[in-house]
Amino acid sequence: MTAPLELAGDRLLILDQTLLPGQEVVLELRTADEVAAAILRLAVRGAPLIGVAAAYGLALEVASQPDVESLERGARALCAARPTAVNLAWAVDRVRAAALAAGADNLAAAALAEAVAIHTEDEAASRALAAHGADYLAGKQRILTVCNTGALAASGEGTALAVIAELARRSPHGEVSVLACETRPLLQGARLTVWELVNLGIPHALIADGAAAGLIARGEVDAVIAGCDRVAANGDTANKVGTYGLSLAAQAAGIPFVIAGPRSTIDPATPDGAGIEIEERGGDEVRYAGGALLTIADVPVRNPAFDVTPAALISALVTEAGVAAPPSRAAIADLLHATATPLSA
Amino acid sequence: MTAPLELAGDRLLILDQTLLPGQEVVLELRTADEVAAAILRLAVRGAPLIGVAAAYGLALEVASQPDVESLERGARALCAARPTAVNLAWAVDRVRAAALAAGADNLAAAALAEAVAIHTEDEAASRALAAHGADYLAGKQRILTVCNTGALAASGEGTALAVIAELARRSPHGEVSVLACETRPLLQGARLTVWELVNLGIPHALIADGAAAGLIARGEVDAVIAGCDRVAANGDTANKVGTYGLSLAAQAAGIPFVIAGPRSTIDPATPDGAGIEIEERGGDEVRYAGGALLTIADVPVRNPAFDVTPAALISALVTEAGVAAPPSRAAIADLLHATATPLSA
């Protein structure tokens, strides 16, 4: 398996991201419940990629049990897995609607075709998004990022990390380097982004999350770029917890703070950040790291998985259809209605 | 041993903070080099407490070898252990000067007397500082803090955590609660602050460092209080890496951001934050947590141990001699020249 997610007949193959970078284990999933469980425990993660996984999960569910009841039950199970990421509900809704429209006899075939379409579109979106982002950040060399937004988070090369990879390809002498926030509690930066940066051949250094603001203030960063889990209609953006703090540090230092994601991450039904539900996850994610207990075993924990960066702190929202800079309500509406623009590279 | 540091004849007893909260192991140190090594590996830590430890370390050194050469060699070894914390150099200089002034015959006795004086003054300073800080933060209930600033970091009840403890004592119905940042990479919050909050009986929750800004933005915090490793003459303050980001989040939310520390942390010889040397520590601190490898074993790491919060983002500097709010150059000079004010409680 070369991709982190692959359909193989009646099974969805998923690279178990909870075991990276130590082990590369492939999971074989056959039902919506199995896919929902993999999403919930972050074996597959990244807002766009869980959309693709959920789409395949629902298609597999109705392939084995081709009726409306299975479709609806599977859709509910998948949507409940992670409430903040909008791509998940968007992808599930697309598969569900396509299946229902096709009628009882074609339910399974239509669901599968729609899931494949979502996956293919997502790969094309990654390429287009990377080109738009690299255009916007042309000349920036020292990039700071958080969480994981590469091929492990979205189809193709991902979102924010795809922009960085494209910037690196365009830099003739390897001037592009990355500071990767480790991204506690689940360490997607330390485990996944670093692994992807090694594979991409891009120079990098890992930092504790708390070190980012000081390094930005000391002039060691030219731009910050992050992914997104949900973008409200006004540009307020939910992303991995810690992102908001990076936006404050970027603003204070006068460097660009960029959000990258496919248009499916934009939720026109959410007017602003106040309407975004923030998932609180279990306390053991904070109590432990790499299997080691870090504190008193029963210490009370608050563990919000996301935070909201106000649109006013975002220099640009980069999508496959272009860049909203700044991401005003009007600019975002334009992106949503645009046909995807041709690639610049 | 009831305190984290205690002189016992010709030995300095230190509670090994690297093993907390899992084990309570007491180290017996006899020379300046042993104390410097304990400071370097953070067995004893916290800017004020390493000042006291270093003072005793130098006194022990000249007790066993009462000559000027030992005094100077011990002073150099201790000062080299941690460059950012000013209390260390300040305490070593005091002991050295007192010993030299006393002359060859009284070197050891004078050094010991000065170290004991520093320790005693530090305990009184903690009580006064706590009272001043609790006056300033009267009515604030939900406090966020970073790193460890309690009895494990300074004599008495510490600095920022002493203020919180005093606020809690003054709150009749236990309304005071604490959000403790885990404080990667070395997890002083998860390991030490949580342990101290349990001992103090103050309700608390542990959070990932990246979660602080979002929780502050959501209105879940009334005030942020942190310790300090060095305060420049203009109020710019070096403290544990991550502190600067908290100050940005507090400013954005319009809540007080308070720095607490003894006056010995103020360095009039450093005009502003640009002059503060930031210690970079080894990469394994970031690669590992609780003994577990979190990433690729040889990943490059940046690990600044501190960052600098500009004075403009600090609502108040709380010391044993009173509060500078805001910490202007003039207000800080006044604090340095004031006689310690009587306790309000």
Side-chain angles (χ1 to χ4, degrees), chain A residues 182 184 190-191 194 204-207 210-211 213 215 217-218 220 241-242 244 248-249 252 278 290 292 294-296 299-302, chain B residues 182 184 190-191 194 204-207 210-211 213 215 217-218 220 241-242 244 248-249 252 278 290 292 294-296 299-302:
Chain A
E182 65 175 356
R184 279 281 288 156
R191 295 187 300 107
V194 155
H204 56 276
L206 181 66
I207 61 172
L215 290 167
R218 283 158 66 182
E220 301 202 19
V241 71
Y244 165 59
L248 290 171
I278 300 295
L294 307 178
T295 182
I296 297 169
V299 66
V301 166
R302 288 293 308 276
Chain B
E182 65 174 357
R184 279 282 286 156
R191 294 188 298 108
V194 155
H204 56 276
L206 181 67
I207 61 171
L215 290 167
R218 283 158 67 182
E220 301 201 20
V241 72
Y244 165 58
L248 290 170
I278 300 295
L294 307 178
T295 182
I296 297 169
V299 67
V301 165
R302 288 292 307 277

Side-chain angles (χ1 to χ4, degrees), chain A residues 317-330:
Chain A
L317 170 66
V318 175
T319 74
E320 72 275 30
V323 177
S328 64
R329 195 177 291 270

